[in-house]
Amino acid sequence: RFIGPSQHETATHFLSKSEAPTDSEALKCLRADIRYFKWRNGVVGHTTVIWSASVEPNSELLPNLKTANELLEAIELDEAERGGPIPPSILY
């Protein structure tokens, strides 16, 4: 997925295009990772994920998405169909 040019050497935890070829697949992987983390650590209830990346692509698309359903529908489309990238932080 997206890794900033200055982060290629230090990036250790990311989904490759072969692991998650679409944003929809990336979202499924992230949700599965969070469920596994909760199960493995006995977490019951709410989990907070903190996004700490400092570099990601800009998106002209986000101001047009007004609801969670619109965002989920956009995630199902490929980048060309929806008119631009969805920043990785939004998938979290």
Side-chain angles (χ1 to χ4, degrees), residues 6-13:
S6 64
Q7 299 172 331
H8 283 273
E9 291 183 24
T10 58
T12 57
H13 294 83

Side-chain angles (χ1 to χ4, degrees), residues 21-90:
T22 65
D23 287 333
S24 178
E25 289 299 317
L27 182 59
K28 289 175 189 173
C29 290
L30 293 170
R31 287 176 168 172
D33 285 349
I34 292 167
R35 282 192 299 273
Y36 176 71
F37 174 86
K38 290 176 71 172
W39 171 80
R40 186 184 71 209
N41 292 287
V43 176
V44 176
H46 182 80
T47 301
T48 300
V49 176
I50 299 172
W51 177 258
S52 64
S54 61
V55 179
E56 64 182 12
N58 291 328
S59 177
E60 303 295 324
L61 176 71
L62 294 180
N64 300 322
L65 302 174
K66 304 297 182 199
T67 67
N69 282 341
E70 288 177 359
L71 175 60
L72 291 172
E73 289 171 6
I75 288 170
E76 291 297 323
L77 301 173
D78 67 34
E79 192 171 315
E81 289 176 311
R82 70 173 165 255
I86 292 180
S89 61
I90 298 300

